Amino acid sequence: MTFGDLELHPLSDGTFRLDGGAMFGVVPKPLWERRAPADERNRIRMGLRPLLVRGERTLLIDAGIGDKMDEKSVEIYGIDRSHHLDHDLAALGLTRGDIDIVLASHLHFDHAGGFTVRADVPGGLAPAFPNATYIVRTAEWDDAMHPHERNRASYLAENFAPLAAAGCLRLMDGDGPIMPGVRVVRTGGHTMHHQMVVIESGGRTAVFTADLMPSAAHVDVPWIMGYDLYPMDTLAFKRGFVRDAIDRGYLVFFEHDPDIAAGYIRDENGRKRVEPRLEP
Ligand SMILES: [Zn+2]
């Protein structure tokens, strides 16, 4: 879709499954399963939707789960990549070599898995986007490189450590512009330095919320993931964000929604809902 001077293309790296209880935190199952039906293992289906932004440069926000997961993880997470990122790039006439910038919301495996690929090089891993500069928030990088017991399963060094060795990593401190019309804003909450991406062009605003609001089912402010390390920070940020998104008509991108890539948040007598814009 055209968005001011930019083009925005939600892509797909397939789907995966996570525990429904963990995805909705303190919300009881009878409430969340109406929005996200669980399978026999209590898992819900989730999308993997990096966003391609074409403007002065060709920018990819997050890169899906990638193809390095072992058989056991593929089974546990129900990963289905029968249709993946390369297919969607090809549909736009692009290859991985055409991406100039890869921007990370944070470094969890379902966002950064596609950053690297297995290759016949020392160490066995190479950047998946050979001509790209990878931009990562400095403090998120530091946390990912020094995981603790609670986040170790999400930060897999194979997804990001090779970028530093390959010389294509650019660490960025704080909030600020990535290219004309695109800037990052720290949300915290999910991880201490998780960031969203704000896209402004032609007088309109779109926001790639990443794990601040992973799906349209998370549009209610207290519907916060059990995975979040700092849920009260998520709550505080999200409360303000949802208000702004409604009042200012932001186009919101949902990275993990299985069906709705993007939409507008509407408030109907206190009930929040998403009016879908870009179907898969
Ligand atoms: Zn995620």
Side-chain angles (χ1 to χ4, degrees):
M1 74 175 293
T2 302
F3 193 80
D5 300 330
L6 307 170
E7 272 179 42
L8 305 181
H9 301 280
L11 309 180
S12 173
D13 195 41
T15 59
F16 74 129
R17 289 168 188 269
L18 287 177
D19 184 87
M23 278 307 292
F24 293 103
V26 297
V27 179
K29 185 171 180 182
L31 295 183
W32 62 251
E33 73 177 344
R34 282 187 232 151
R35 298 186 189 181
D39 67 12
E40 69 291 348
R41 291 159 71 177
N42 208 46
R43 300 174 306 182
I44 62 167
R45 200 168 144 264
M46 312 215 336
L48 293 157
R49 301 180 184 277
L51 181 65
L52 185 80
V53 184
R54 300 182 85 174
E56 194 176 284
R57 317 289 304 279
T58 299
L59 166 80
L60 184 66
I61 306 171
D62 289 349
I65 205 161
D67 63 1
K68 303 189 301 302
M69 299 293 259
D70 60 24
E71 221 172 286
K72 188 178 159 201
S73 300
V74 168
E75 209 274 324
I76 289 172
Y77 295 116
I79 298 169
D80 178 355
R81 293 182 76 253
S82 47
H83 181 99
H84 60 72
L85 198 58
D86 291 347
H87 297 131
D88 277 1
L89 288 173
L92 294 167
L94 298 172
T95 68
R96 290 194 229 146
D98 294 316
I99 305 298
D100 300 315
I101 301 169
V102 177
L103 173 62
S105 64
H106 62 304
L107 292 172
H108 285 172
F109 69 83
D110 52 324
H111 302 254
F115 284 7
T116 62
V117 287
R118 296 198 194 290
D120 192 12
V121 295
L125 294 160
F129 302 89
N131 302 315
T133 299
Y134 288 71
I135 301 180
V136 179
R137 203 172 180 97
T138 310
E140 172 70 14
W141 176 268
D142 291 341
D143 285 350
M145 293 295 280
H146 302 96
H148 50 63
E149 295 87 339
R150 176 77 200 279
N151 62 18
R152 198 177 299 278
S154 299
Y155 283 135
L156 310 181
E158 62 177 16
N159 294 330
F160 45 83
L163 304 175
C168 56
L169 176 67
R170 199 183 116 204
L171 294 178
M172 195 176 133
D173 279 322
D175 295 346
I178 303 297
M179 71 175 192
V182 180
R183 62 188 171 91
V184 291
V185 174
R186 176 179 168 274
T187 71
H190 183 62
T191 69
M192 181 59 85
H193 303 282
H194 175 277
Q195 60 190 3
M196 63 181 193
V197 185
V198 178
I199 300 157
E200 292 152 317
S201 194
R204 300 174 67 199
T205 301
V207 182
F208 183 87
T209 55
D211 279 343
L212 172 69
M213 206 183 296
S215 81
H218 290 83
V219 73
D220 286 306
V221 174
W223 290 50
I224 290 170
M225 288 192 277
Y227 294 109
D228 285 14
L229 292 178
Y230 309 96
M232 291 308 291
D233 292 351
T234 307
L235 180 72
F237 193 93
K238 199 174 161 187
R239 192 188 281 135
F241 175 77
V242 168
R243 195 70 261 157
D244 288 349
I246 294 168
D247 292 348
R248 300 175 191 173
Y250 294 167
L251 177 61
V252 179
F253 285 85
F254 300 103
E255 188 167 9
H256 289 314
D257 197 291
D259 304 308
I260 301 170
Y264 297 97
I265 304 175
R266 307 292 189 210
D267 187 334
E268 287 170 353
N269 306 317
R271 267 184 78 98
K272 298 191 179 52
R273 65 174 191 88
V274 171
E275 182 186 317
R277 256 302 159 246
L278 297 167
E279 300 297 334

